[in-house]
Amino acid sequence: VRPALAVPPIYAPIPPAVHPSHKAIDARTAAWADRFNIGSPEWRRRLVTQDIGVFAARILPEGREEVVSVLSDFVIWLFGVDDGYCEEGELGIKPGELAATLSQLLRVAQNPEVTMLSGDPLAEGLRDLTLRVSRWGTALQTARWVDTLREYFFAVVWEAEHRAAGRIPGLNDYALMRLYVGATSVVPPFLEMGHGYELQPYERESKAVRAAGEMTSFITTWDNDIYSHHKESRGANYYLNVIRVLEHEYGLSPNQALTRAIAQRDRVMCLFLSLRAKLEDEGSPQVRQYLGNLASFIRATQDWSVSSLRYTTPDDPAALSPSFSDRPTDTSREPLDIPSISWWWDLVPASRTA
Ligand code: 3E9
Ligand code: MG
Ligand code: MG
Ligand code: MG
Ligand code: MG
Ligand code: MG
């Protein structure tokens, strides 16, 4: 077994915060997973020690507690799909069958009253989630929530095809699909619902606001790849991770790939801060609040990743620094050499600093 890759303190310019009810939220999510029988009993015993509720409480430190709970239950549900179906299950190497099952689940999310998949634990859990989302969200937010689930499902089908073939994608494809396959794009509807505001569709779909969401997905999934590399590379299963992609793309050692991944996320973090400052000046109150909520999601992922047993894995300890850095390792204002996302840099004039 290779020695554990040492993850250094990573740049964290956003202040930490957690919802005061995080303990109760975490306990309720464990009970919810039991009630709906999500995953196997053994899987559930592991998952409920991983502070999923604390993660949700960090994403929405000032959110409405009921919505934090919906998000928390939804994250454990997503892990039920991602671990249970995709990474450890039979469907994870059968993209066509996976697409069929996920399409049925999508129908349950859109129309919880249909009798499809009755008694299936993930479907029954999803029925409960969709009823709660529609209670706390507007009709448009509920529809957006279903769409984000579809984006995620489409991406896991893509991933399943790579898993089945044992193939590692190139960096450009990976950067594009990782915007969705980490389920990070399902979080933004909860940022609105949790605080009771609504972005106008023309605002949400504007290039700058969409880019801010994509940058958030990039940073949070690059961070996930950095912090979960230990768990993923020691496991028996196929895994897709930016460190592995960079090793292949550029012929790097794991350590060199780690350094490169950190530089990439730091460069995007600097751009996110500049774009946030620009939108603070130019955006509506809702857009300004949304950018602040995206920032909380970024910091939440960092704080949860360095502390959750999911990634520290005490039985075979990961070498993760529990602290952060106040300086980026890469301050270049040049676009990353990744065509699918390099347009982000067109949105902030080079003269502008955060
Ligand atoms: C993440 O990728 C898989 C998602 C299903 C996790 C659910 C979490 C969220 C919706 C919030 C986003 C947070 C992240 C990216 C943790 P992967 O690499 O399979 O996750 P793992 O925990 O196994 O490293
Ligand atoms: Mg705990
Ligand atoms: Mg996954
Ligand atoms: Mg995973
Ligand atoms: Mg409503
Ligand atoms: Mg991971």
Side-chain angles (χ1 to χ4, degrees):
V1 183
R2 298 188 297 189
L5 205 54
V7 179
I10 291 181
Y11 179 47
I14 298 154
V18 64
H19 194 286
S21 304
H22 60 89
K23 276 211 174 98
I25 291 162
D26 194 50
R28 284 202 300 267
T29 285
W32 184 89
D34 273 340
R35 179 175 148 219
F36 285 98
N37 199 21
I38 303 295
S40 68
E42 194 239 302
W43 177 86
R44 217 159 46 236
R45 267 196 299 280
R46 258 187 293 135
L47 260 283
V48 300
T49 67
Q50 296 174 359
D51 291 337
I52 307 291
V54 184
F55 181 35
R58 290 187 183 283
I59 295 173
L60 289 171
E62 294 171 0
R64 202 145 50 183
E65 186 169 335
E66 293 92 335
V67 179
V68 185
S69 266
V70 184
L71 176 60
S72 177
D73 297 350
F74 184 38
V75 170
I76 209 166
W77 184 91
L78 284 163
F79 278 125
V81 172
D82 212 74
D83 294 347
Y85 275 3
C86 300
E87 293 179 11
E88 297 163 18
E90 311 256 292
L91 291 179
I93 51 166
K94 295 178 180 163
E97 284 182 40
L98 180 62
T101 299
L102 296 178
S103 299
Q104 293 177 339
L105 284 176
L106 218 39
R107 196 57 169 171
V108 170
Q110 280 176 317
N111 291 90
E113 70 280 11
V114 301
T115 54
M116 292 165 67
L117 295 174
S118 295
D120 177 88
L122 284 172
E124 297 303 342
L126 187 60
R127 277 196 175 87
D128 177 71
L129 291 169
T130 199
L131 292 171
R132 290 155 70 199
V133 165
S134 56
R135 175 172 332 138
W136 297 105
T138 66
L140 284 175
Q141 286 167 341
T142 306
R144 180 69 200 131
W145 177 70
V146 175
D147 285 343
T148 60
L149 200 54
R150 184 183 293 107
E151 292 172 353
Y152 164 67
F153 285 173
F154 187 67
V156 296
V157 170
W158 168 85
E159 186 184 61
E161 151 56 27
H162 283 74
R163 184 181 293 108
R167 196 189 305 122
I168 304 298
L171 176 61
N172 187 46
D173 281 344
Y174 183 70
L176 173 60
M177 297 309 285
R178 192 64 173 136
L179 296 177
Y180 305 105
V181 83
T184 46
S185 74
V186 306
V187 171
F190 291 91
L191 303 178
E192 296 182 36
M193 282 182 249
H195 300 96
Y197 66 92
E198 185 164 35
L199 289 177
Q200 296 300 313
Y202 72 85
E203 292 178 313
R204 192 186 297 117
E205 303 307 329
S206 73
K207 260 189 159 179
V209 174
R210 180 162 63 86
E214 291 189 8
M215 291 175 202
T216 301
S217 285
F218 182 95
I219 297 164
T220 50
T221 54
W222 251 234
D223 284 348
N224 172 271
D225 284 350
I226 290 163
Y227 290 114
S228 68
H229 178 266
H230 183 78
K231 156 179 98 72
E232 290 168 357
S233 63
R234 303 281 170 135
N237 299 324
Y238 168 91
Y239 68 98
L240 206 42
N241 180 301
V242 70
I243 292 173
R244 199 170 193 196
V245 168
L246 290 170
E247 288 174 37
H248 275 245
E249 182 94 2
Y250 298 120
L252 302 179
S253 69
N255 252 307
Q256 291 169 326
L258 172 65
T259 302
R260 181 76 71 101
I262 293 171
Q264 290 174 334
R265 62 80 72 198
D266 284 356
R267 203 191 289 196
V268 174
M269 178 72 94
C270 293
L271 185 67
F272 174 84
L273 295 176
S274 301
L275 180 60
R276 180 183 175 189
K278 181 174 143 73
L279 289 170
E280 293 278 350
D281 290 349
E282 299 170 4
S284 67
Q286 291 77 15
V287 166
R288 296 208 298 272
Q289 176 157 17
Y290 182 64
L291 268 286
N293 298 150
L294 289 176
S296 297
F297 176 28
I298 292 172
R299 180 61 198 245
T301 302
Q302 293 188 271
D303 286 318
W304 177 66
S305 301
V306 300
S307 58
S308 173
L309 296 177
R310 185 170 176 86
Y311 307 113
T312 60
T313 62
D315 291 342
D316 170 21
L320 311 180
S321 172
S323 61
F324 299 104
S325 162
D326 57 10
R327 267 176 311 163
T329 62
D330 182 340
T331 56
S332 169
R333 307 190 56 88
E334 292 298 312
L336 286 174
D337 186 17
I338 303 178
S340 54
I341 60 170
S342 59
W343 61 273
W344 292 344
W345 278 264
D346 300 340
L347 300 171
V348 188
S351 59
R352 178 157 196 136
T353 48

